[in-house]
Amino acid sequence: MKKRYSLFLVALLAASTLVGCSQQEVPTFSGEVGVNFRERSGDDNWSDGYNFLFSITDLFQYYTEQQTFDITYPESQLSLLIEGPVQAKPLKVKLKLEPLDGYELPDVTLPDEVVIPAGEKSVVFSVHVGKPAKMETRYAGKVTIDYDKSDVVAGTKERQSLVIGIQDIAQLPSQLDGLMTWDEFVQLFESKLGKFGPMKLRLALINDDPSFPIFFHAYYTKIGYDGEGWGYGLGENLSYYADALKEYNDAHPGAPLMEADGTPVTFPEP
């Protein structure tokens, strides 16, 4: 069964593991200029804690919002904070990406170097995380500091790395929590629309009304509002999804919509 926010919890556990294990060898603040990662606590707010030192991009939400397969998404924002006195000169910090056990490494483009300006205690900078090669797969790594190539030393031990990741994993909207499980959704999907597939689901999402995506059609099918002529159920929208597939395939001659394993996306006859 799929669980909402599962990567959130995994990243939290991973960050906690980093605190207890790999970061034990990082020297603590020694009177020089130390540096720490900061955790994000809002769109433009940062805090000095270490329980949420991760940045996870979830692409799935954008299909409904943007109504296209070619979704765009913002770059990840990270922040560093010096531990010690404000400096009269800029401080250069070199970052590196390290693997995280149990996860495929994301395609992350780090800045050549991050500069904390003279007279400033912190800096916010952008990091590009490339789209994952596979849907329904979690990608994560940890950003650390290359002290040998930086003007700083380690600050607080627990804040010397940050988990960064990306995923394109389907999940139910929060409004349906407690009303329908993921397994129920798939069963309802297949009973009306044929074999379930990630690309097939996203085709439906980008052609649905953003305020009433396919998950809600499934829920109304579950409670009996399918075939009533109101357009609520999955069965009533079968021909609409089939038309959307035909339109896509007509626009991509020789390259019909397929699942990752090469299986063509199809719908049963209405």
Side-chain angles (χ1 to χ4, degrees):
M1 182 185 297
K2 300 233 176 175
K3 301 289 186 181
R4 289 183 55 80
Y5 308 123
S6 56
L7 186 54
F8 176 95
L9 296 174
V10 168
L12 179 57
L13 291 173
S16 298
T17 300
L18 292 174
V19 169
C21 299
S22 60
Q23 296 307 313
Q24 289 180 353
E25 284 119 37
V26 175
T28 55
F29 180 61
S30 61
E32 301 177 78
V33 183
V35 69
N36 298 315
F37 283 99
R38 290 198 293 175
E39 63 181 21
R40 200 162 189 173
S41 56
D43 288 343
D44 297 306
N45 298 316
W46 301 87
S47 77
D48 300 340
Y50 53 83
N51 290 322
F52 300 99
L53 281 174
F54 57 85
S55 175
I56 307 300
T57 301
D58 193 338
L59 301 184
F60 184 69
Q61 60 181 313
Y62 295 111
Y63 292 102
T64 301
E65 295 174 6
Q66 298 179 16
Q67 303 275 276
T68 178
F69 283 118
D70 299 320
I71 56 175
T72 59
Y73 56 97
E75 294 191 332
S76 295
Q77 299 295 302
L78 307 185
S79 180
L80 291 170
L81 173 73
I82 63 173
E83 184 174 289
V86 171
Q87 299 296 294
K89 64 177 183 180
L91 298 173
K92 298 177 182 178
V93 182
K94 181 72 172 179
L95 302 175
K96 56 185 178 180
L97 182 68
E98 299 181 10
L100 190 61
D101 288 345
Y103 297 92
E104 295 194 40
L105 198 64
D107 176 19
V108 177
T109 303
L110 296 170
D112 289 337
E113 63 182 15
V114 177
V115 177
I116 303 175
E120 300 289 337
K121 283 189 70 72
S122 64
V123 64
V124 176
F125 57 97
S126 298
V127 171
H128 177 71
V129 185
K131 289 183 179 179
K134 295 177 286 187
M135 294 177 177
E136 311 303 329
T137 300
R138 297 183 173 95
Y139 294 77
K142 59 178 179 177
V143 181
T144 61
I145 299 164
D146 187 343
Y147 295 102
D148 291 338
K149 300 178 181 179
S150 301
D151 296 335
V152 295
V153 298
T156 305
K157 180 174 63 175
E158 294 87 353
R159 296 161 61 193
Q160 295 308 295
S161 66
L162 180 144
V163 173
I164 191 166
I166 194 166
Q167 64 183 36
D168 187 344
I169 297 179
Q171 58 185 7
L172 296 176
S174 59
Q175 299 95 313
L176 293 177
D177 283 348
L179 299 177
M180 183 173 62
T181 67
W182 180 261
D183 288 344
E184 285 179 316
F185 168 70
V186 172
Q187 290 171 2
L188 290 163
F189 183 106
E190 295 194 333
S191 70
K192 300 293 183 177
L193 305 179
K195 180 67 175 175
F196 176 83
M199 290 298 292
K200 190 173 181 178
L201 169 61
R202 287 158 177 81
L203 173 75
L205 285 172
I206 67 176
N207 286 280
D208 273 333
D209 180 343
S211 64
F212 200 84
I214 188 170
F215 302 110
F216 292 94
H217 293 301
Y219 174 68
Y220 275 94
T221 298
K222 175 184 175 180
I223 63 176
Y225 287 87
D226 197 352
E228 300 292 334
W230 297 329
Y232 290 163
L234 287 174
E236 294 175 289
N237 284 274
L238 170 58
S239 59
Y240 175 71
Y241 294 141
D243 288 344
L245 175 63
K246 183 178 185 304
E247 181 178 348
Y248 177 92
N249 288 341
D250 288 347
H252 299 81
L257 189 64
M258 294 187 178
E259 299 295 348
D261 63 0
T263 302
V265 173
T266 61
F267 288 97
E269 290 294 327

